[in-house]
Amino acid sequence: MAPAPRHDPARRRRIARLAAAQALYQIEVAGVGADAVLLEFLQHRLEEEIDEGLRLADMDRDLFSDLVKGVSSRKPGLDEMLTPLLAPDWTLGRLELLLRVILRAGAYELAHRSDVPPKVAISEYVELAHDFFGGREPALVNGVLDRLARLVRAEAFG
């Protein structure tokens, strides 16, 4: 199957989510603000290939910016939403940082982006987890985001 064209909206959103996960990870590790990381990505890294055949220049920049700013500014609230959805003996702090970033971004889309159908958001973040993890992490992302979607977007599930 031929790869999706560079202007394909779904492909552009996928690249934005992947880049946002990387930017949010960088914010956490480096302890810098969202605006500085956004500026770096949008001014200095657009020619980078972030995955095979996926270039930052091809991303949906509005979605990328919204995810980075939205997750960064709402992190405590997102963590509050996610924590009760984990197993009783787990906390977000016990999860690997990149997994926390993926869960927060997925939670942000579910709670604050009503333009994105919940099943699409869940699928996208499960796929993103597959990009980075080879174990049970994608199943964890699926389970947690599915439970969250049924709470914050119950109307979509009938």
Side-chain angles (χ1 to χ4, degrees):
M1 176 184 285
R6 289 175 58 175
H7 62 276
D8 175 54
R11 182 176 184 274
R12 292 171 41 83
R13 289 188 298 271
R14 171 153 171 58
I15 296 169
R17 288 179 178 105
L18 180 58
Q22 292 177 351
L24 291 164
Y25 182 87
Q26 182 175 331
I27 289 166
E28 291 285 328
V29 170
V32 295
D35 288 335
V37 173
L38 280 170
L39 188 65
E40 176 191 335
F41 270 73
L42 295 173
Q43 289 190 348
H44 303 292
R45 295 181 60 182
L46 284 179
E47 294 310 312
E48 282 185 27
E49 187 172 272
I50 57 173
D51 199 9
E52 190 175 322
L54 301 177
R55 293 180 48 243
L56 284 175
D58 299 331
M59 75 177 154
D60 178 330
R61 293 179 192 185
D62 291 336
L63 177 59
F64 169 72
S65 295
D66 183 51
L67 288 171
V68 173
K69 288 179 183 178
V71 171
S72 295
S73 67
R74 291 179 171 90
K75 188 170 84 168
L78 295 170
D79 288 356
E80 283 181 23
M81 286 191 304
L82 291 166
T83 298
L85 303 174
L86 297 173
D89 58 335
W90 280 88
T91 64
L92 275 175
R94 283 186 65 187
L95 299 177
E96 197 275 326
L97 176 57
L98 184 56
L99 188 56
R100 286 195 309 265
V101 163
I102 291 169
L103 286 169
R104 286 175 183 145
Y108 174 79
E109 278 204 54
L110 289 170
H112 300 284
R113 297 283 311 227
S114 60
D115 60 314
V116 179
K119 290 181 181 182
V120 170
I122 294 165
S123 175
E124 288 290 325
Y125 287 98
V126 169
E127 196 59 38
L128 192 56
H130 277 292
D131 288 343
F132 292 103
F133 300 101
R136 298 175 55 195
E137 293 87 353
L140 176 97
V141 169
N142 185 56
V144 169
L145 294 182
D146 182 70
R147 287 191 296 278
L148 179 61
R150 290 173 189 281
L151 293 172
V152 299
R153 304 273 292 277
E155 74 286 351
F157 293 91

